[in-house]
Amino acid sequence: SQQGEEDPQALSIQEGENATMNCSYKTSINNLQWYRQNSGRGLVHLILIRSNEREKHSGRLRVTLDTSKKSSSLLITASRAADTASYFCATDGSGYSTLTFGKGTMLLVSP
Amino acid sequence: ETGVTQTPRHLVMGMTNKKSLKCEQHLGHNAMYWYKQSAKKPLELMFVYNFKEQTENNSVPSRFSPECPNSSHLFLHLHTLQPEDSALYLCASSHRDRGYEQYFGPGTRLTVT
């Protein structure tokens, strides 16, 4: 299966701390995307990293991709209570398949 | 607001009812998707449409019937559902059906009684 697996399943931190979430996948990809979801709402696209990229930044977000290890990480720096949400990685297989999502990491940022 | 709207936001229906979910995107995208999100399970892709043509149907039971009259509108017609079909149904759109970020609607919370 192409499915991404996020780790940890849940993460609880204090405001101001950094949060790191990891994603592992099984087969070759074209790109990997990260999404966030507030409780019971739709997903919001955060960042897309292509298979030939190793690192990408967007505001307080930093994403890395290691295709040799088939893994990615999402770092949120200086977290805020508003960052509380579930975070999902999604992979787009090398055969140009549609996205496959993992089960997500639930992040709780306490004031 | 992501530019993708879904109605209704909440729906309670009996197993013998027929109802429809509606999705509309205002982004000029050509691909639209239905996903099912159940508790403690990964997001499940149900159907994909690209330029109004269905390009993927992930073994979804026939009690779910999609319709895509144009690139901006997507429907999911529901009939004789089961309680295990209760879930959050999410619509999404993207520029094409491969390789692009997807924009999601807020979802319809469906409860089948």
Side-chain angles (χ1 to χ4, degrees):
Chain A
S1 156
Q2 179 59 50
Q3 186 177 71
E5 286 275 339
E6 292 89 347
D7 167 60
Q9 289 187 1
L11 180 61
S12 183
I13 59 175
Q14 299 291 122
E15 262 191 329
E17 295 181 339
N18 296 341
T20 300
M21 288 158 270
N22 303 296
C23 170
S24 59
Y25 56 92
K26 293 179 181 170
T27 61
S28 299
I29 60 170
N30 285 315
N31 66 61
L32 185 145
Q33 303 182 37
W34 284 92
Y35 289 80
R36 79 173 257 167
Q37 183 181 32
N38 288 78
S39 180
R41 307 277 305 190
L43 279 73
V44 175
H45 178 261
L46 294 177
I47 198 163
L48 180 154
I49 186 165
R50 302 198 184 282
S51 59
N52 61 353
E53 297 176 308
R54 291 297 166 257
E55 190 170 311
K56 207 160 182 181
H57 296 256
S58 177
R60 294 185 294 112
L61 305 181
R62 173 179 168 248
V63 169
T64 61
L65 179 64
D66 187 335
T67 53
S68 66
K69 295 181 180 177
K70 292 187 170 58
S71 68
S72 173
S73 67
L74 170 67
L75 168 68
I76 303 174
T77 59
S79 63
R80 305 166 182 167
D83 294 327
T84 294
S86 291
Y87 292 82
F88 298 87
C89 68
T91 50
D92 181 349
S94 61
Y96 280 103
S97 63
T98 48
L99 290 182
T100 304
F101 287 81
K103 290 184 181 179
T105 291
M106 195 177 302
L107 173 66
L108 174 64
V109 182
S110 301
Chain B
E1 281 295 329
T2 61
V4 180
T5 59
Q6 287 186 246
T7 55
R9 294 292 310 279
H10 299 271
L11 178 62
V12 179
M13 59 186 289
M15 290 190 283
T16 57
N17 290 161
K18 285 186 182 181
K19 296 286 184 184
S20 295
L21 309 185
K22 179 183 175 182
C23 175
E24 185 173 357
Q25 57 96 0
H26 311 275
L27 301 168
H29 289 161
N30 294 302
M32 296 187 78
Y33 312 77
W34 279 117
Y35 288 90
K36 176 184 178 183
Q37 188 176 36
S38 306
K40 301 189 191 301
K41 291 176 72 174
L43 207 61
E44 298 173 61
L45 178 64
M46 300 174 73
F47 303 104
V48 182
Y49 281 82
N50 195 39
F51 289 99
K52 302 188 299 178
E53 298 297 320
Q54 190 178 120
T55 57
E56 199 150 331
N57 175 341
N58 278 354
S59 303
V60 180
S62 60
R63 57 186 184 269
F64 295 91
S65 174
E67 178 190 359
C68 188
N70 54 59
S71 292
S72 300
H73 294 86
L74 185 64
F75 296 89
L76 188 63
H77 304 299
L78 316 171
H79 66 97
T80 59
L81 294 191
Q82 304 298 311
E84 61 264 29
D85 297 322
S86 298
L88 182 68
Y89 288 85
L90 293 163
C91 172
S93 71
S94 64
H95 186 56
R96 294 283 190 275
D97 65 349
R98 305 284 190 269
Y100 290 87
E101 57 267 36
Q102 295 183 13
Y103 292 78
F104 284 78
T108 295
R109 172 67 63 186
L110 174 67
T111 303
V112 181
T113 60

